[in-house]
Structures are given as structure tokens and as C-alpha cells.
Amino acid sequence: MATALSQTQATDHRLGFQSLDEEVAVDRLPVSGELPPWLTGALVRVTPALFEIGDRRVSHWFDGLAMLNRFGFSDGTVSYKSRFLDSRSYRDAREGQIRHGGFATDPCRSLFKRVQAIFSPGFTDNPNVNLARVGERYIAMTETPLPVEFDPETLDTVGHFEFADSVRSHVTTAHPHHDRERDELVNYVAHFSRTSEYVLYGLPAGSSTRRVIARMPVREPAYMHAFGMSGRHLILAEYPLRVNPLKLAFSGKAFIENYVWRPELGTKLQVFDRETGAHRGTYETDAFFCFHHVNAFERESGELVIDLVAYDDPSVIDALYLDEHGPRGPLGRTELRRYSIDLDAGSVSWEALTGGHDVELPRIDYGRRNTCDYEFAYFAGWGGGRWIDRLVKLNVRDGARSEWSAPDCYPGEPIFVREPGKDSEDGGVILSVVLDAAARRSFLLVLDAGSFEELARAEAPHHIPFGFHGDYMRS
Ligand SMILES: [Fe+2]
């Protein structure tokens, strides 16, 4: 259990790593400011919320048990609801057990069981990373291919989203893309064996059968948290954080600890044709690490542009291990980088677009600007402190930036919501769940995306642990 000491001392960002062990429903939160009348949907987010299992604390932020948080908007009022996702991992945790290995938390069991877990579907199904819509169904996801379906109104868990195909997989991303023309969810999986492979696929709306777009054999798969999609291409950025699948099976280490940083390999940008699935080429550049792609598009010249949030190395993974009070930290340095590939000549160049400012959790006007040249990206950022303490709007064309911050406040991912009928790329609002550590509670912040000025905030009844991703669901 979290100690009494940590419960009383955390009046800074570390409060965001304390468990929230209650599910609540509030019809009307206190609101200050004025909400736009057109905002009538709901912000639904998933967050690791329970960090103690039995007498253990999970080892890493990425291993907290998943909770859904829903802020519903109606007639200028905001409702709030929270529910744990009723996954197999969650039920085990309620019995005080960690039966399935997580990202960095080992299940503590025999070698035989561990091997069985890796080469059979025994990984965690704790879907604490991201949410997506598949036709009329909503799923919560982690990096094992065991999405959990939920009801976005009641937050009830429906059950595992079962695929009706024979695509074999061990890991995937919780950052699928949406193919607007086909109305497909696009994602990749990696299958570990003596001849491992990446498989890129499309999942049509209303279907549970994946359409394989491309396969690529790989000897030592890279850890990839997301991937890129332009108008014509899919991009797997293979950072040199690599795993030997057979060592993974027998090492006895937690999942991510089997991956080895080998900067001498550089980063390989694997580019596939979205239409034919053909492997367009392998484009090599210097070693870097990344969780999140931001956008990708082709220029008229045919040049492929890939924007992503880059780290020099994967030490951020170590920084996010949890001790009794919070993450080890510090977060380190990041930058928004633009990689440009001449697909025919094979050359890769890059430039930094954020000018030395640290940013993460990027969002854009995905519905209209993904796969297109674009102007605005939104981030959570930090500036030398130990945790995210600001929201950042960046004009990626001219470098102009705006920031929102407030004393003792630690915001999460900024989600852009377009105002219906507005044409400008930043015509809408930004929604972010912010921890007010001094008040020991969180609030939903609403910013005007154009001016980046605060419009309103709605106070949650308690602190909400820091989460990763979510989405606005139109009513
Ligand atoms: Fe992510």
C-alpha cells in the first residue's frame, strides 16, 4: 500500500501517481468560466489508476490498472464518471495477484509459466494506454493484442474484442491510425518466433477480421509505441531498442527489460505502400528513440515527411519506473523532429521544430489534418522541472508557440476538438485533465485552441492519476 507518508506529502506532481481506488459518478461538476455551447459530447480518457496489487506496488507507470474517466458536456454543464476496466488483469489484481507480466512488472512465477506466457496468450490485458472506435464499437488498448471493449456512455466493460482471423501476434501499438476512405483502423503487430515478423493490417469498421496489408520478417524486433501514416505510406520507425525473441522467452525479466539499446544500429525507417503493401524501402538515419509520431505526409515533390517526438535515447523508460512516491525521473530532453525522406535517392534528413523545448503527448486536428501538410500541433511540455507542467501549441511552419501553465498544476495530453462549421485549423478547443496538486484534485481545462486562453474549468471531486490518452466522442 502507499505509505501514510507519501499520502500526506505529495502536494506536487507525485500526487498523480497515487492510486484512485474509488469509482464515482457526479451529475454536475463545479464549473468556472463558460463552456462553448457547441461542446455537447464527452471526453473519455483511460489512465493507470491503481498501483498497489496485494502487498506490491507495480514497478512502472505503464503497469497501473486501467480506469476510464468520462467528462460529459451538456447545456454548459459537465458530468463526471469513473470506472475501472474489468479486464482479466484487473480481476487478478482485486484478488491481490499479478498473474500476467506487464510492461515492466514481472508476474513472479516459475520459468515454465513465464515461457508459456510469452509464447501463448498470457500477456497482460490491462488496457491502460489508449482508446479507439471500430465502427460502432469502442475499445481500450495496451501493447498486447487484447483490446477490451467498453460502453462509452456507462463505461461498462463489454469484454475482450476478439479477432476472427489467424493473424498471430504478441505485441502491437495502442496508437492505431484511421483510414478515412476505407473506414478502417490501421495498426501493426509483431509476432515473436525464430522468424519473427511485423504485420501491418487494416480492421474494417464493423468487422473483427483483419486485412493484412504487409508483412516483413525481422530478426530482432524494435520496440515501437506508435507508427506513421501518410497519404500513400505506412512508416515503421525501428529505433535501435531491440529484442532477441528467444532471450525474451527465457530471460525471466519483465517485458521491456529484454530490449537492448544498440545505438550502433541507427534507426531504420521502414516505408510501405498503403495500397499495394509493397516495401518501398529501408531508410537509415542516426539512432534516436520515440514514443509518439505526430503526423506524416507527402510533398508534391514526392518527398515523405515524418514528424515525431524524439529522444536521444530510451532513458525516459527508466525515468518512468515508480518508487514509493512517484517516478524516478527526470524526464529528460525531447524535441519535435521532422524527418524528410527522398524515397528514390534514399536520403534522409531531419530538422528540429521545437527549438529545444521539451514536449510529449502530441495531438493535432487528426480528423482533418492527419496525412496532410499541417500547421498546428499541441503538446504537454516541461521546462527543466521534474514533470509536465504546461501545455504547448506550436505552429510547425513558423515556430510560433503559445503556452498555458498555472502554479502547482500538471496537465495531461491536450485533445483538440474542432468547432463544427469552423474552417481554421485551430478553430476549436483544447481539453486537458490537469492535476492541481496544491488543491489535491484534478480539473478539466478548456482552452480556446486559437488564442490558447482559458475558457473554463470543471473541478473533479478528487485527484485523477496521470493518464496517457483519450478522445472526444461527439454526441
Ligand atoms: Fe502513447
Side-chain angles (χ1 to χ4, degrees):
M1 297 290 291
T3 65
L5 189 68
S6 67
Q7 295 282 359
T8 53
Q9 279 190 341
T11 51
D12 57 20
H13 70 282
R14 294 173 296 181
L15 179 59
F17 297 92
Q18 287 188 6
S19 293
L20 172 63
D21 199 7
E22 57 180 326
E23 298 175 324
V24 303
V26 179
D27 288 340
R28 194 163 181 161
L29 297 180
V31 173
S32 57
E34 202 154 327
L35 291 158
W38 56 265
L39 196 66
T40 55
L43 175 71
V44 184
R45 291 180 51 76
V46 66
T47 180
L50 184 63
F51 298 101
E52 288 79 30
I53 299 173
D55 57 359
R56 289 179 69 188
R57 181 159 162 87
V58 298
S59 305
H60 200 278
W61 184 27
F62 295 0
D63 285 327
L65 272 300
M67 170 184 268
L68 294 169
N69 294 280
R70 181 185 190 277
F71 292 89
F73 305 99
S74 176
D75 296 328
T77 68
V78 183
S79 62
Y80 173 74
K81 189 183 294 179
S82 62
R83 296 284 299 276
F84 280 100
L85 275 152
D86 190 21
S87 65
R88 192 177 57 202
S89 301
Y90 177 70
R91 275 180 241 147
D92 289 347
R94 284 304 189 196
E95 293 170 14
Q97 300 290 324
I98 303 175
R99 292 200 176 96
H100 304 280
F103 180 82
T105 301
D106 192 69
C108 285
R109 57 185 160 175
S110 73
L111 180 63
F112 171 74
K113 288 265 188 184
R114 193 175 287 128
V115 173
Q116 194 183 43
I118 287 164
F119 287 113
S120 68
F123 273 158
T124 176
D125 65 343
N126 174 29
N128 66 5
V129 182
N130 201 3
L131 310 174
R133 186 167 67 85
V134 188
E136 299 304 312
R137 302 170 71 180
Y138 290 84
I139 54 173
M141 300 166 289
T142 182
E143 295 183 332
T144 54
L146 296 164
V148 175
E149 185 176 352
F150 67 94
D151 182 318
E153 291 289 329
T154 64
L155 306 187
D156 286 344
T157 299
V158 177
H160 282 143
F161 183 100
E162 304 280 357
F163 294 107
D165 56 50
S166 58
V167 176
R168 295 183 302 170
S169 59
H170 290 102
V171 294
T172 185
T173 82
H175 286 282
H177 281 284
H178 183 236
D179 180 330
R180 286 188 289 271
E181 287 182 12
R182 287 193 172 91
D183 196 8
E184 278 186 351
L185 203 74
V186 179
N187 206 345
Y188 97 93
V189 297
H191 179 251
F192 298 146
S193 74
R194 284 189 191 281
T195 51
S196 300
E197 65 175 355
Y198 302 133
V199 181
L200 288 152
Y201 70 83
L203 176 66
S207 173
S208 53
T209 302
R210 291 170 285 193
R211 176 181 72 87
V212 173
I213 299 169
R215 293 179 184 272
M216 181 181 183
V218 54
R219 203 176 159 76
E220 298 202 330
Y223 174 74
M224 293 181 282
H225 179 81
F227 66 104
M229 184 174 85
S230 67
R232 286 168 35 203
H233 298 101
L234 298 172
I235 306 108
L236 295 180
E238 287 187 290
Y239 322 107
L241 186 62
R242 301 279 190 153
V243 67
N244 178 326
L246 291 178
K247 286 189 179 164
L248 174 71
F250 292 102
S251 73
K253 296 177 186 171
F255 172 75
I256 196 62
E257 292 172 1
N258 293 281
Y259 284 74
V260 179
W261 179 241
R262 298 173 59 194
E264 71 280 4
L265 297 179
T267 296
K268 295 179 172 56
L269 302 166
Q270 306 289 2
V271 179
F272 301 84
D273 187 299
R274 281 177 65 185
E275 200 57 44
T276 67
H279 183 228
R280 184 69 172 79
T282 300
Y283 303 91
E284 300 193 19
T285 186
D286 291 342
F288 68 93
F289 178 71
C290 159
F291 285 120
H292 297 116
H293 287 243
V294 180
N295 204 352
F297 57 91
E298 280 87 18
R299 295 197 189 280
E300 282 185 14
S301 62
E303 185 180 53
L304 175 59
V305 175
I306 303 162
D307 290 352
L308 44 76
V309 174
Y311 298 78
D312 285 340
D313 61 48
S315 55
V316 61
I317 292 174
D318 297 331
L320 299 177
Y321 274 81
L322 300 179
D323 65 18
E324 186 183 332
H325 302 290
R328 277 182 201 160
L331 287 174
R333 306 305 311 267
T334 72
E335 59 190 3
L336 174 63
R337 283 190 195 164
R338 171 160 291 180
Y339 284 83
S340 299
I341 304 178
D342 183 326
L343 294 169
D344 293 325
S347 60
V348 182
S349 61
W350 66 269
E351 60 179 322
L353 300 181
T354 33
H357 297 276
D358 300 309
V359 292
E360 248 299 1
L361 301 170
R363 297 293 293 228
I364 60 172
D365 178 4
Y366 186 90
R368 289 187 304 173
R369 304 313 300 168
N370 192 54
T371 75
C372 308
D373 195 1
Y374 69 114
E375 193 166 10
F376 297 112
Y378 310 93
F379 306 88
W382 59 96
R386 290 187 65 81
W387 195 250
I388 291 163
D389 60 2
R390 66 198 68 187
L391 295 174
V392 178
K393 173 187 179 184
L394 179 73
N395 184 322
V396 299
R397 291 191 184 141
D398 65 14
R401 62 188 269 130
S402 309
E403 288 192 358
W404 177 93
S405 64
D408 302 311
C409 285
Y410 303 93
E413 176 191 48
I415 294 175
F416 174 79
V417 183
R418 183 172 65 86
E419 179 177 349
K422 274 270 178 86
D423 287 333
S424 59
E425 190 180 313
D426 57 356
V429 296
I430 294 294
L431 303 178
S432 178
V433 177
V434 181
L435 175 69
D436 182 342
R440 294 185 63 82
R441 66 172 63 185
S442 298
F443 62 88
L444 175 73
L445 174 69
V446 184
L447 298 181
D448 181 303
S451 66
F452 229 52
E453 297 290 330
E454 181 172 335
L455 294 176
R457 60 175 73 181
E459 281 184 24
H462 46 59
H463 86 285
I464 300 173
F466 294 129
F468 305 114
H469 307 291
D471 238 326
Y472 179 76
M473 298 174 185
R474 294 186 185 276
S475 56

